[in-house]
Amino acid sequence: MGIIERKEREKEQRREEIVTAAEKIFFEKGLAIATMDEIAEAAELSKGTLYLYYKSKEDLYLAVAMRGSEIMYKMFLEATSPEKSTIERIAGLAEAYYRFFKQNRDYFRMYQYFDNSQFHKQVSQDMLHTCATNDQKIWDLVIGLIQQGIDEGLFDADLDAKQAAIILWANGNAIMRLMDREDTYFTEHMKLDLEATLQKAYQLILEGMMTKKGKVKYHAIRQIEETV
Amino acid sequence: MGIIERKEREKEQRREEIVTAAEKIFFEKGLAIATMDEIAEAAELSKGTLYLYYKSKEDLYLAVAMRGSEIMYKMFLEATSPEKSTIERIAGLAEAYYRFFKQNRDYFRMYQYFDNSQFHKQVSQDMLHTCATNDQKIWDLVIGLIQQGIDEGLFDADLDAKQAAIILWANGNAIMRLMDREDTYFTEHMKLDLEATLQKAYQLILEGMMTKKGKVKYHAIRQIEETV
DNA sequence: CCCATTAAATGACTATCAGTCAGTAAATTG
DNA sequence: CAATTTACTGACTGATAGTCATTTAATGGG
């Protein structure tokens, strides 16, 4: 039945159109200030139709955030292409996360709500499950790579790959959140270079986890990067 | 004029009563779900009265959060009492932050909104300024202590005390935020011990910043703690 | 003690917005 | 072409942040 297939395709398209409209509004205003009427207008649909495709404003918000998640995953895949050495791939991941932040700040910003347990309660189980699946892909990639580093003797043998992944992520995420603050508290009032702080944090943590062999290889690639 | 003074005292009391009522409701429901009518009922006042004392729901929310800030500051002061050695005081700070999280999780949770630039726009300049002043006291304490560590040769001479403070805070904060998530994603699905991860992160970062002398003293006090 | 003045508090009211649902329009089918 | 299914609409409901004219209480001078 070609018609059923076409209809499904069109339905999927409509879903995407709605997400595109929502994205525009959420990027401009954030979750709290954006309204469903605005989104409906941007999508050239009635508000009622939005609710045929998404259960709530919060679900729609997460649907937009998922786009960011997919972009990040693709950037991570590119940063870890198999022709590179393990150490390059690991350094590449940290760089890719920062590039994601710089180039897709609107998406990065949307993630703030993920940690909020009150927000979780306003979201459907379905959508939460989709998010968790997407997240898992990314964690698997990072953790797998760190495990490979451990196996190759670049990282301490007693390092837990999962712990290491969390620590690296936590650092980067928290410092980038500070960078994203629009007030001038840290940059002007505290006269702090947050980008340098981020680099320093990554360096401290990565080197703290590495074996002598790992550090040698890590410094070698950083040398090359700096001379380029 | 004793009457004017009494009136001012009563006004201040009323302000505190309102914050106490708001605290109860915000702790239970979070910013988005709590309503000003509920808070008014808890305060045994009409909603209009709340607005005589606070400009908006968000301002009132921050007034509650400031209580948490003050508790944290007091805990930090206690953790850094002058009779202790510098290394003990620095280790004490990290522990105190974790204790604040464990014992005052409701307050900890409220801070999530501080990073949200959309939230900043919904809050009065006055309140934002009060927050910044409170924040500054805490940063000054932490940064001053790390600077002392540098001066005493416990930390690398080329370490920037402000950067170090941010990195330590960023780590702890981000991992504790994960701990606070009410879903079981990290603990059960990923089988991760987040408390151990936090300890590991602190250890990596602190040791990465320390001189040999610093590490010796740090290990000495950790030894004592473990045997207690 | 009484009344004018000031200060504090009230709650009905407005505006806004998330979410619903009875009804309409369009596409499909037989 | 009529019946049926599917997609969409927008007026409506209920909830809630914030306002403001009015009421209530306290104060102080006469």
Side-chain angles (χ1 to χ4, degrees), chain A residues 10-43:
Chain A
E10 282 172 354
K11 215 164 175 174
E12 192 48 48
Q13 259 176 337
R14 192 50 36 108
R15 266 180 88 86
E16 285 303 309
E17 283 165 22
I18 289 171
V19 176
T20 300
E23 180 174 290
K24 182 175 176 295
I25 306 298
F26 283 136
F27 280 2
E28 280 169 20
K29 311 211 170 180
L31 174 62
I33 297 165
T35 74
M36 290 298 268
D37 284 301
E38 281 177 297
I39 293 169
E41 204 191 317

PDB file of all heavy atoms in Angstrom, chain A residues 10-43:
ATOM      1  N   GLU A  10       4.689  11.608   5.312  1.00  0.00           N
ATOM      2  CA  GLU A  10       4.196  12.966   5.526  1.00  0.00           C
ATOM      3  C   GLU A  10       4.029  13.287   7.017  1.00  0.00           C
ATOM      4  O   GLU A  10       4.304  14.389   7.463  1.00  0.00           O
ATOM      5  CB  GLU A  10       2.865  13.176   4.801  1.00  0.00           C
ATOM      6  CG  GLU A  10       3.047  13.399   3.307  1.00  0.00           C
ATOM      7  CD  GLU A  10       1.718  13.407   2.545  1.00  0.00           C
ATOM      8  OE1 GLU A  10       0.664  13.123   3.152  1.00  0.00           O
ATOM      9  OE2 GLU A  10       1.759  13.686   1.341  1.00  0.00           O
ATOM     10  N   LYS A  11       3.588  12.281   7.747  1.00  0.00           N
ATOM     11  CA  LYS A  11       3.432  12.452   9.192  1.00  0.00           C
ATOM     12  C   LYS A  11       4.787  12.720   9.846  1.00  0.00           C
ATOM     13  O   LYS A  11       4.912  13.598  10.697  1.00  0.00           O
ATOM     14  CB  LYS A  11       2.807  11.186   9.793  1.00  0.00           C
ATOM     15  CG  LYS A  11       1.877  11.446  10.941  1.00  0.00           C
ATOM     16  CD  LYS A  11       1.004  10.241  11.230  1.00  0.00           C
ATOM     17  CE  LYS A  11       0.163  10.476  12.459  1.00  0.00           C
ATOM     18  NZ  LYS A  11      -0.796   9.388  12.701  1.00  0.00           N
ATOM     19  N   GLU A  12       5.753  11.986   9.402  1.00  0.00           N
ATOM     20  CA  GLU A  12       7.115  12.160   9.934  1.00  0.00           C
ATOM     21  C   GLU A  12       7.651  13.551   9.576  1.00  0.00           C
ATOM     22  O   GLU A  12       8.261  14.226  10.405  1.00  0.00           O
ATOM     23  CB  GLU A  12       8.033  11.060   9.381  1.00  0.00           C
ATOM     24  CG  GLU A  12       9.376  10.955  10.070  1.00  0.00           C
ATOM     25  CD  GLU A  12       9.250  10.951  11.595  1.00  0.00           C
ATOM     26  OE1 GLU A  12       8.415  10.210  12.161  1.00  0.00           O
ATOM     27  OE2 GLU A  12       9.991  11.728  12.214  1.00  0.00           O
ATOM     28  N   GLN A  13       7.356  13.972   8.339  1.00  0.00           N
ATOM     29  CA  GLN A  13       7.750  15.313   7.893  1.00  0.00           C
ATOM     30  C   GLN A  13       7.118  16.392   8.777  1.00  0.00           C
ATOM     31  O   GLN A  13       7.771  17.341   9.191  1.00  0.00           O
ATOM     32  CB  GLN A  13       7.299  15.553   6.450  1.00  0.00           C
ATOM     33  CG  GLN A  13       8.406  15.388   5.434  1.00  0.00           C
ATOM     34  CD  GLN A  13       7.879  15.545   4.017  1.00  0.00           C
ATOM     35  OE1 GLN A  13       6.696  15.367   3.746  1.00  0.00           O
ATOM     36  NE2 GLN A  13       8.777  15.848   3.093  1.00  0.00           N
ATOM     37  N   ARG A  14       5.822  16.223   9.018  1.00  0.00           N
ATOM     38  CA  ARG A  14       5.116  17.177   9.864  1.00  0.00           C
ATOM     39  C   ARG A  14       5.747  17.235  11.246  1.00  0.00           C
ATOM     40  O   ARG A  14       5.973  18.310  11.795  1.00  0.00           O
ATOM     41  CB  ARG A  14       3.668  16.707   9.939  1.00  0.00           C
ATOM     42  CG  ARG A  14       2.569  17.529  10.480  1.00  0.00           C
ATOM     43  CD  ARG A  14       2.297  18.919  10.076  1.00  0.00           C
ATOM     44  NE  ARG A  14       2.474  19.432   8.766  1.00  0.00           N
ATOM     45  CZ  ARG A  14       1.507  19.762   7.907  1.00  0.00           C
ATOM     46  NH1 ARG A  14       0.264  19.576   8.233  1.00  0.00           N
ATOM     47  NH2 ARG A  14       1.792  20.289   6.746  1.00  0.00           N
ATOM     48  N   ARG A  15       6.062  16.092  11.794  1.00  0.00           N
ATOM     49  CA  ARG A  15       6.753  16.026  13.095  1.00  0.00           C
ATOM     50  C   ARG A  15       8.028  16.860  13.067  1.00  0.00           C
ATOM     51  O   ARG A  15       8.317  17.616  13.992  1.00  0.00           O
ATOM     52  CB  ARG A  15       7.130  14.580  13.447  1.00  0.00           C
ATOM     53  CG  ARG A  15       6.123  13.851  14.314  1.00  0.00           C
ATOM     54  CD  ARG A  15       6.589  12.435  14.599  1.00  0.00           C
ATOM     55  NE  ARG A  15       7.432  12.329  15.787  1.00  0.00           N
ATOM     56  CZ  ARG A  15       6.970  12.189  17.020  1.00  0.00           C
ATOM     57  NH1 ARG A  15       5.669  12.137  17.236  1.00  0.00           N
ATOM     58  NH2 ARG A  15       7.788  12.093  18.052  1.00  0.00           N
ATOM     59  N   GLU A  16       8.765  16.703  11.970  1.00  0.00           N
ATOM     60  CA  GLU A  16      10.031  17.434  11.846  1.00  0.00           C
ATOM     61  C   GLU A  16       9.800  18.934  11.684  1.00  0.00           C
ATOM     62  O   GLU A  16      10.531  19.747  12.244  1.00  0.00           O
ATOM     63  CB  GLU A  16      10.847  16.888  10.667  1.00  0.00           C
ATOM     64  CG  GLU A  16      11.502  15.542  10.947  1.00  0.00           C
ATOM     65  CD  GLU A  16      12.421  15.591  12.168  1.00  0.00           C
ATOM     66  OE1 GLU A  16      13.281  16.489  12.223  1.00  0.00           O
ATOM     67  OE2 GLU A  16      12.245  14.751  13.079  1.00  0.00           O
ATOM     68  N   GLU A  17       8.763  19.274  10.909  1.00  0.00           N
ATOM     69  CA  GLU A  17       8.425  20.691  10.737  1.00  0.00           C
ATOM     70  C   GLU A  17       8.095  21.331  12.088  1.00  0.00           C
ATOM     71  O   GLU A  17       8.495  22.462  12.366  1.00  0.00           O
ATOM     72  CB  GLU A  17       7.229  20.847   9.792  1.00  0.00           C
ATOM     73  CG  GLU A  17       7.571  20.686   8.313  1.00  0.00           C
ATOM     74  CD  GLU A  17       6.314  20.474   7.461  1.00  0.00           C
ATOM     75  OE1 GLU A  17       5.215  20.865   7.909  1.00  0.00           O
ATOM     76  OE2 GLU A  17       6.451  19.893   6.369  1.00  0.00           O
ATOM     77  N   ILE A  18       7.360  20.581  12.887  1.00  0.00           N
ATOM     78  CA  ILE A  18       7.002  21.087  14.222  1.00  0.00           C
ATOM     79  C   ILE A  18       8.255  21.287  15.069  1.00  0.00           C
ATOM     80  O   ILE A  18       8.425  22.319  15.717  1.00  0.00           O
ATOM     81  CB  ILE A  18       5.997  20.138  14.911  1.00  0.00           C
ATOM     82  CG1 ILE A  18       4.639  20.240  14.219  1.00  0.00           C
ATOM     83  CG2 ILE A  18       5.871  20.456  16.396  1.00  0.00           C
ATOM     84  CD1 ILE A  18       3.628  19.197  14.657  1.00  0.00           C
ATOM     85  N   VAL A  19       9.143  20.320  15.019  1.00  0.00           N
ATOM     86  CA  VAL A  19      10.385  20.433  15.800  1.00  0.00           C
ATOM     87  C   VAL A  19      11.198  21.635  15.315  1.00  0.00           C
ATOM     88  O   VAL A  19      11.766  22.381  16.123  1.00  0.00           O
ATOM     89  CB  VAL A  19      11.217  19.134  15.726  1.00  0.00           C
ATOM     90  CG1 VAL A  19      12.541  19.308  16.466  1.00  0.00           C
ATOM     91  CG2 VAL A  19      10.454  17.978  16.325  1.00  0.00           C
ATOM     92  N   THR A  20      11.216  21.844  13.995  1.00  0.00           N
ATOM     93  CA  THR A  20      11.974  22.979  13.448  1.00  0.00           C
ATOM     94  C   THR A  20      11.410  24.312  13.944  1.00  0.00           C
ATOM     95  O   THR A  20      12.158  25.209  14.333  1.00  0.00           O
ATOM     96  CB  THR A  20      11.946  22.935  11.908  1.00  0.00           C
ATOM     97  OG1 THR A  20      12.532  21.704  11.489  1.00  0.00           O
ATOM     98  CG2 THR A  20      12.727  24.088  11.303  1.00  0.00           C
ATOM     99  N   ALA A  21      10.082  24.401  13.943  1.00  0.00           N
ATOM    100  CA  ALA A  21       9.451  25.626  14.436  1.00  0.00           C
ATOM    101  C   ALA A  21       9.725  25.805  15.927  1.00  0.00           C
ATOM    102  O   ALA A  21      10.064  26.904  16.388  1.00  0.00           O
ATOM    103  CB  ALA A  21       7.949  25.579  14.177  1.00  0.00           C
ATOM    104  N   ALA A  22       9.590  24.708  16.666  1.00  0.00           N
ATOM    105  CA  ALA A  22       9.815  24.756  18.116  1.00  0.00           C
ATOM    106  C   ALA A  22      11.257  25.167  18.408  1.00  0.00           C
ATOM    107  O   ALA A  22      11.511  25.973  19.314  1.00  0.00           O
ATOM    108  CB  ALA A  22       9.514  23.397  18.736  1.00  0.00           C
ATOM    109  N   GLU A  23      12.163  24.627  17.636  1.00  0.00           N
ATOM    110  CA  GLU A  23      13.585  24.930  17.810  1.00  0.00           C
ATOM    111  C   GLU A  23      13.826  26.433  17.726  1.00  0.00           C
ATOM    112  O   GLU A  23      14.487  27.022  18.585  1.00  0.00           O
ATOM    113  CB  GLU A  23      14.370  24.213  16.724  1.00  0.00           C
ATOM    114  CG  GLU A  23      15.849  24.436  16.762  1.00  0.00           C
ATOM    115  CD  GLU A  23      16.546  23.561  15.729  1.00  0.00           C
ATOM    116  OE1 GLU A  23      16.571  22.335  15.920  1.00  0.00           O
ATOM    117  OE2 GLU A  23      17.067  24.102  14.734  1.00  0.00           O
ATOM    118  N   LYS A  24      13.254  27.030  16.687  1.00  0.00           N
ATOM    119  CA  LYS A  24      13.431  28.472  16.488  1.00  0.00           C
ATOM    120  C   LYS A  24      12.992  29.247  17.745  1.00  0.00           C
ATOM    121  O   LYS A  24      13.715  30.105  18.258  1.00  0.00           O
ATOM    122  CB  LYS A  24      12.604  28.907  15.278  1.00  0.00           C
ATOM    123  CG  LYS A  24      12.716  30.375  14.919  1.00  0.00           C
ATOM    124  CD  LYS A  24      11.951  30.680  13.634  1.00  0.00           C
ATOM    125  CE  LYS A  24      11.954  32.161  13.303  1.00  0.00           C
ATOM    126  NZ  LYS A  24      11.234  32.982  14.302  1.00  0.00           N
ATOM    127  N   ILE A  25      11.808  28.903  18.238  1.00  0.00           N
ATOM    128  CA  ILE A  25      11.267  29.631  19.389  1.00  0.00           C
ATOM    129  C   ILE A  25      12.026  29.312  20.675  1.00  0.00           C
ATOM    130  O   ILE A  25      12.368  30.213  21.447  1.00  0.00           O
ATOM    131  CB  ILE A  25       9.759  29.319  19.560  1.00  0.00           C
ATOM    132  CG1 ILE A  25       8.983  29.587  18.256  1.00  0.00           C
ATOM    133  CG2 ILE A  25       9.176  30.124  20.712  1.00  0.00           C
ATOM    134  CD1 ILE A  25       9.010  31.019  17.784  1.00  0.00           C
ATOM    135  N   PHE A  26      12.298  28.036  20.910  1.00  0.00           N
ATOM    136  CA  PHE A  26      13.021  27.673  22.136  1.00  0.00           C
ATOM    137  C   PHE A  26      14.426  28.277  22.142  1.00  0.00           C
ATOM    138  O   PHE A  26      14.917  28.700  23.198  1.00  0.00           O
ATOM    139  CB  PHE A  26      13.113  26.150  22.282  1.00  0.00           C
ATOM    140  CG  PHE A  26      11.839  25.503  22.755  1.00  0.00           C
ATOM    141  CD1 PHE A  26      11.370  24.331  22.163  1.00  0.00           C
ATOM    142  CD2 PHE A  26      11.105  26.042  23.813  1.00  0.00           C
ATOM    143  CE1 PHE A  26      10.200  23.719  22.605  1.00  0.00           C
ATOM    144  CE2 PHE A  26       9.931  25.431  24.256  1.00  0.00           C
ATOM    145  CZ  PHE A  26       9.488  24.271  23.649  1.00  0.00           C
ATOM    146  N   PHE A  27      15.088  28.315  21.000  1.00  0.00           N
ATOM    147  CA  PHE A  27      16.416  28.933  20.938  1.00  0.00           C
ATOM    148  C   PHE A  27      16.333  30.407  21.325  1.00  0.00           C
ATOM    149  O   PHE A  27      17.177  30.924  22.042  1.00  0.00           O
ATOM    150  CB  PHE A  27      17.001  28.816  19.522  1.00  0.00           C
ATOM    151  CG  PHE A  27      17.613  27.472  19.207  1.00  0.00           C
ATOM    152  CD1 PHE A  27      17.599  26.443  20.132  1.00  0.00           C
ATOM    153  CD2 PHE A  27      18.218  27.248  17.977  1.00  0.00           C
ATOM    154  CE1 PHE A  27      18.160  25.204  19.842  1.00  0.00           C
ATOM    155  CE2 PHE A  27      18.785  26.015  17.676  1.00  0.00           C
ATOM    156  CZ  PHE A  27      18.750  25.000  18.599  1.00  0.00           C
ATOM    157  N   GLU A  28      15.299  31.080  20.826  1.00  0.00           N
ATOM    158  CA  GLU A  28      15.163  32.512  21.113  1.00  0.00           C
ATOM    159  C   GLU A  28      14.817  32.782  22.576  1.00  0.00           C
ATOM    160  O   GLU A  28      15.333  33.704  23.179  1.00  0.00           O
ATOM    161  CB  GLU A  28      14.046  33.129  20.251  1.00  0.00           C
ATOM    162  CG  GLU A  28      14.471  33.448  18.825  1.00  0.00           C
ATOM    163  CD  GLU A  28      13.263  33.809  17.958  1.00  0.00           C
ATOM    164  OE1 GLU A  28      12.209  34.164  18.519  1.00  0.00           O
ATOM    165  OE2 GLU A  28      13.376  33.708  16.712  1.00  0.00           O
ATOM    166  N   LYS A  29      13.897  31.953  23.136  1.00  0.00           N
ATOM    167  CA  LYS A  29      13.296  32.322  24.413  1.00  0.00           C
ATOM    168  C   LYS A  29      13.538  31.364  25.565  1.00  0.00           C
ATOM    169  O   LYS A  29      13.275  31.724  26.708  1.00  0.00           O
ATOM    170  CB  LYS A  29      11.779  32.466  24.231  1.00  0.00           C
ATOM    171  CG  LYS A  29      11.398  33.338  23.033  1.00  0.00           C
ATOM    172  CD  LYS A  29      10.123  34.053  23.280  1.00  0.00           C
ATOM    173  CE  LYS A  29       9.875  35.083  22.199  1.00  0.00           C
ATOM    174  NZ  LYS A  29       8.633  35.804  22.423  1.00  0.00           N
ATOM    175  N   GLY A  30      13.981  30.169  25.282  1.00  0.00           N
ATOM    176  CA  GLY A  30      14.111  29.190  26.361  1.00  0.00           C
ATOM    177  C   GLY A  30      12.775  28.547  26.696  1.00  0.00           C
ATOM    178  O   GLY A  30      11.719  29.026  26.283  1.00  0.00           O
ATOM    179  N   LEU A  31      12.820  27.491  27.489  1.00  0.00           N
ATOM    180  CA  LEU A  31      11.609  26.725  27.798  1.00  0.00           C
ATOM    181  C   LEU A  31      10.540  27.553  28.497  1.00  0.00           C
ATOM    182  O   LEU A  31       9.376  27.546  28.106  1.00  0.00           O
ATOM    183  CB  LEU A  31      11.981  25.521  28.674  1.00  0.00           C
ATOM    184  CG  LEU A  31      10.827  24.684  29.211  1.00  0.00           C
ATOM    185  CD1 LEU A  31      10.032  24.045  28.079  1.00  0.00           C
ATOM    186  CD2 LEU A  31      11.334  23.603  30.154  1.00  0.00           C
ATOM    187  N   ALA A  32      10.924  28.280  29.519  1.00  0.00           N
ATOM    188  CA  ALA A  32       9.929  28.931  30.376  1.00  0.00           C
ATOM    189  C   ALA A  32       9.173  30.040  29.641  1.00  0.00           C
ATOM    190  O   ALA A  32       7.974  30.187  29.831  1.00  0.00           O
ATOM    191  CB  ALA A  32      10.601  29.492  31.633  1.00  0.00           C
ATOM    192  N   ILE A  33       9.858  30.799  28.803  1.00  0.00           N
ATOM    193  CA  ILE A  33       9.242  31.981  28.210  1.00  0.00           C
ATOM    194  C   ILE A  33       8.575  31.683  26.867  1.00  0.00           C
ATOM    195  O   ILE A  33       7.615  32.352  26.494  1.00  0.00           O
ATOM    196  CB  ILE A  33      10.289  33.123  28.112  1.00  0.00           C
ATOM    197  CG1 ILE A  33      10.745  33.498  29.520  1.00  0.00           C
ATOM    198  CG2 ILE A  33       9.734  34.332  27.397  1.00  0.00           C
ATOM    199  CD1 ILE A  33      11.996  34.334  29.567  1.00  0.00           C
ATOM    200  N   ALA A  34       9.054  30.682  26.145  1.00  0.00           N
ATOM    201  CA  ALA A  34       8.418  30.309  24.876  1.00  0.00           C
ATOM    202  C   ALA A  34       6.984  29.853  25.121  1.00  0.00           C
ATOM    203  O   ALA A  34       6.684  29.261  26.156  1.00  0.00           O
ATOM    204  CB  ALA A  34       9.211  29.192  24.217  1.00  0.00           C
ATOM    205  N   THR A  35       6.083  30.141  24.168  1.00  0.00           N
ATOM    206  CA  THR A  35       4.705  29.657  24.310  1.00  0.00           C
ATOM    207  C   THR A  35       4.343  28.751  23.142  1.00  0.00           C
ATOM    208  O   THR A  35       4.874  28.896  22.035  1.00  0.00           O
ATOM    209  CB  THR A  35       3.686  30.819  24.361  1.00  0.00           C
ATOM    210  OG1 THR A  35       3.540  31.363  23.048  1.00  0.00           O
ATOM    211  CG2 THR A  35       4.106  31.892  25.332  1.00  0.00           C
ATOM    212  N   MET A  36       3.420  27.851  23.414  1.00  0.00           N
ATOM    213  CA  MET A  36       2.980  26.912  22.393  1.00  0.00           C
ATOM    214  C   MET A  36       2.254  27.645  21.261  1.00  0.00           C
ATOM    215  O   MET A  36       2.283  27.197  20.113  1.00  0.00           O
ATOM    216  CB  MET A  36       2.068  25.843  23.011  1.00  0.00           C
ATOM    217  CG  MET A  36       2.803  24.881  23.913  1.00  0.00           C
ATOM    218  SD  MET A  36       4.092  23.918  23.073  1.00  0.00           S
ATOM    219  CE  MET A  36       3.188  22.453  22.586  1.00  0.00           C
ATOM    220  N   ASP A  37       1.603  28.746  21.550  1.00  0.00           N
ATOM    221  CA  ASP A  37       0.940  29.537  20.510  1.00  0.00           C
ATOM    222  C   ASP A  37       1.967  30.104  19.530  1.00  0.00           C
ATOM    223  O   ASP A  37       1.751  30.084  18.314  1.00  0.00           O
ATOM    224  CB  ASP A  37       0.118  30.673  21.144  1.00  0.00           C
ATOM    225  CG  ASP A  37      -1.173  30.159  21.749  1.00  0.00           C
ATOM    226  OD1 ASP A  37      -1.973  29.569  20.993  1.00  0.00           O
ATOM    227  OD2 ASP A  37      -1.386  30.319  22.950  1.00  0.00           O
ATOM    228  N   GLU A  38       3.064  30.598  20.058  1.00  0.00           N
ATOM    229  CA  GLU A  38       4.145  31.092  19.198  1.00  0.00           C
ATOM    230  C   GLU A  38       4.672  29.985  18.301  1.00  0.00           C
ATOM    231  O   GLU A  38       4.922  30.200  17.107  1.00  0.00           O
ATOM    232  CB  GLU A  38       5.327  31.556  20.058  1.00  0.00           C
ATOM    233  CG  GLU A  38       5.196  32.896  20.693  1.00  0.00           C
ATOM    234  CD  GLU A  38       6.426  33.164  21.560  1.00  0.00           C
ATOM    235  OE1 GLU A  38       6.656  32.418  22.547  1.00  0.00           O
ATOM    236  OE2 GLU A  38       7.153  34.106  21.251  1.00  0.00           O
ATOM    237  N   ILE A  39       4.896  28.831  18.887  1.00  0.00           N
ATOM    238  CA  ILE A  39       5.440  27.715  18.122  1.00  0.00           C
ATOM    239  C   ILE A  39       4.458  27.317  17.026  1.00  0.00           C
ATOM    240  O   ILE A  39       4.845  27.076  15.880  1.00  0.00           O
ATOM    241  CB  ILE A  39       5.760  26.523  19.051  1.00  0.00           C
ATOM    242  CG1 ILE A  39       6.909  26.893  19.994  1.00  0.00           C
ATOM    243  CG2 ILE A  39       6.122  25.279  18.240  1.00  0.00           C
ATOM    244  CD1 ILE A  39       7.133  25.914  21.124  1.00  0.00           C
ATOM    245  N   ALA A  40       3.170  27.271  17.394  1.00  0.00           N
ATOM    246  CA  ALA A  40       2.141  26.929  16.410  1.00  0.00           C
ATOM    247  C   ALA A  40       2.165  27.919  15.250  1.00  0.00           C
ATOM    248  O   ALA A  40       2.106  27.524  14.078  1.00  0.00           O
ATOM    249  CB  ALA A  40       0.770  26.917  17.082  1.00  0.00           C
ATOM    250  N   GLU A  41       2.305  29.193  15.565  1.00  0.00           N
ATOM    251  CA  GLU A  41       2.338  30.208  14.527  1.00  0.00           C
ATOM    252  C   GLU A  41       3.559  30.020  13.626  1.00  0.00           C
ATOM    253  O   GLU A  41       3.453  30.082  12.397  1.00  0.00           O
ATOM    254  CB  GLU A  41       2.347  31.605  15.155  1.00  0.00           C
ATOM    255  CG  GLU A  41       1.796  32.676  14.219  1.00  0.00           C
ATOM    256  CD  GLU A  41       2.063  34.079  14.735  1.00  0.00           C
ATOM    257  OE1 GLU A  41       1.895  34.304  15.945  1.00  0.00           O
ATOM    258  OE2 GLU A  41       2.467  34.937  13.917  1.00  0.00           O
ATOM    259  N   ALA A  42       4.709  29.763  14.263  1.00  0.00           N
ATOM    260  CA  ALA A  42       5.940  29.550  13.488  1.00  0.00           C
ATOM    261  C   ALA A  42       5.812  28.320  12.592  1.00  0.00           C
ATOM    262  O   ALA A  42       6.373  28.270  11.496  1.00  0.00           O
ATOM    263  CB  ALA A  42       7.127  29.402  14.429  1.00  0.00           C
ATOM    264  N   ALA A  43       5.070  27.318  13.066  1.00  0.00           N
ATOM    265  CA  ALA A  43       4.895  26.081  12.287  1.00  0.00           C
ATOM    266  C   ALA A  43       3.755  26.216  11.276  1.00  0.00           C
ATOM    267  O   ALA A  43       3.514  25.309  10.475  1.00  0.00           O
ATOM    268  CB  ALA A  43       4.605  24.913  13.229  1.00  0.00           C
TER     269      ALA A  43
END
